C-alpha cells in the first residue's frame, strides 16, 4: 500500500483516506525523520501531546516486544502492513474505589517502612531490624529494636545476650534468629560499607 506522510504530526493525515493507519492494532512500517525504520502495531495516539506509541514485536532476543514512543513530527511516513482487527477489546471501566484502596494500601506500607528506619543506629542494627521485620512486627524504641506483639526487645550491641522479654519461648526463638543471622548480616554490612562489619 502507499505510504502516508505524517511529518506534520499526523494532523493532515488524520483527515485523509490514508489515516486508516491510526486505528489501534494496525500493523505499520514506519520511517522517521531520523532515518529509523521499524515495523510495529499502533498501540496509542495522543493528539494533544503529539505522540504516537508503537508496539514492536521482537525476534531472536530475550525480550518479546519493544515499545516506541515517537513524536508525531518525527514520523516521516507510515505504510499499512496489516489492517487493524475488526473488533478491538474495550478497556474495562476504572473503579475509583479500587484505585483509592490500592493507594491507601501503598501509603500505609510506606509509613510502615519509614517507621523501620532507625535514627543514629549502626548499619548492622538496621540490617537486623530488617531481618526481624520479615517475620515479626517491629519498631524502634530509641536504638532498641522492639517486637511489641511478643514483648521482646533487642538492645545494643544486638547480640543474643541483649534479647530480653518475659515470654521465654519467644525469647529463645528470637535469640536463635539473632545468633543465626548475625554472621551473615555482618558480612553483608562489611561488604557494602567496605568496613569490618562491626555493630
Amino acid at each position: 500500500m502507499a505510504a502516508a506522510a505524517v511529518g506534520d504530526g499526523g494532523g493532515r493525515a488524520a483527515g485523509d483516506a490514508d489515516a486508516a493507519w491510526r486505528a489501534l492494532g494496525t500493523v505499520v512500517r514506519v520511517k522517521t525523520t531520523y532515518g529509523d525504520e521499524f515495523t510495529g502495531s499502533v498501540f496509542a495516539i495522543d493528539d494533544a501531546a503529539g505522540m504516537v506509541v508503537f508496539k514492536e514485536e521482537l525476534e531472536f532476543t530475550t525480550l518479546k516486544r519493544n515499545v516506541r514512543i515517537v513524536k508525531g513530527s518525527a514520523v516521516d511516513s507510515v505504510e499499512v502492513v496489516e489492517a487493524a482487527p475488526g473488533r478491538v477489546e474495550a478497556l474495562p471501566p476504572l473503579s475509583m474505589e479500587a484505585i483509592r484502596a490500592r493507594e491507601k494500601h501503598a501509603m500505609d506500607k510506606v509509613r510502615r517502612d519509614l517507621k523501620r528506619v532507625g535514627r543514629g543506629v549502626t548499619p548492622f542494627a538496621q540490617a537486623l531490624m530488617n531481618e526481624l521485620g520479615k517475620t515479626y512486627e517491629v519498631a524502634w524504641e530509641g536504638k532498641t529494636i522492639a517486637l511489641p506483639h511478643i514483648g521482646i526487645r533487642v538492645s545494643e550491641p544486638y547480640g543474643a545476650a541483649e534479647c530480653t522479654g518475659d515470654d521465654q519461648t519467644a525469647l529463645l526463638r528470637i535469640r536463635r534468629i539473632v545468633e543465626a543471622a548475625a554472621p551473615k548480616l555482618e558480612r553483608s554490612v562489611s561488604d557494602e560499607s567496605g568496613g569490618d562489619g562491626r555493630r
Side-chain angles (χ1 to χ4, degrees):
M1 295 183 180
V6 290
D8 59 358
R12 184 183 65 78
D16 297 340
D18 286 334
W21 72 266
R22 293 169 60 90
L24 300 185
T26 302
V27 179
V28 293
R29 184 173 295 110
V30 181
K31 294 182 180 179
T32 71
T33 56
Y34 303 111
D36 293 333
E37 294 187 25
F38 63 90
T39 299
S41 59
V42 178
F43 186 74
I45 299 175
D46 188 335
D47 287 322
M51 309 293 287
V52 186
V53 182
F54 300 97
K55 185 170 65 174
E56 183 182 12
E57 301 297 329
L58 301 178
E59 295 181 2
F60 311 114
T61 76
T62 55
L63 300 175
K64 292 184 178 181
R65 60 187 60 85
N66 182 42
V67 175
R68 292 179 183 252
I69 302 175
V70 184
K71 284 186 176 181
S73 57
V75 177
D76 184 50
S77 65
V78 178
E79 179 183 353
V80 175
V81 175
E82 183 180 330
R87 182 176 180 272
V88 178
E89 292 292 331
L91 294 174
L94 293 176
S95 167
M96 293 306 299
E97 183 178 348
I99 291 173
R100 291 190 184 98
R102 291 183 64 182
E103 179 185 30
K104 183 180 183 302
H105 177 75
M107 292 303 297
D108 288 345
K109 183 179 183 305
V110 169
R111 292 188 187 97
R112 288 195 302 271
D113 290 346
L114 286 175
K115 287 181 179 179
R116 292 184 177 183
V117 178
R119 295 183 180 181
V121 301
T122 64
F124 175 86
Q126 185 62 61
L128 181 59
M129 162 68 102
N130 297 342
E131 184 71 18
L132 292 171
K134 292 177 181 178
T135 307
Y136 299 95
E137 187 67 31
V138 291
W140 285 105
E141 292 181 357
K143 294 185 179 181
T144 297
I145 300 172
L147 295 81
H149 289 106
I150 56 175
I152 305 297
R153 285 169 174 73
V154 187
S155 305
E156 295 181 277
Y158 311 105
E162 288 73 47
C163 299
T164 59
D166 295 331
D167 186 330
Q168 293 304 305
T169 301
L171 180 59
L172 180 61
R173 186 164 59 245
I174 296 303
R175 282 177 173 169
R176 286 175 175 170
I177 292 173
V178 170
E179 285 180 340
K184 178 187 70 173
L185 297 178
E186 287 176 345
R187 286 194 301 272
S188 176
V189 168
S190 179
D191 291 343
E192 291 178 4
S193 65
D196 58 9
R198 288 184 294 184
R199 305 171 192 186

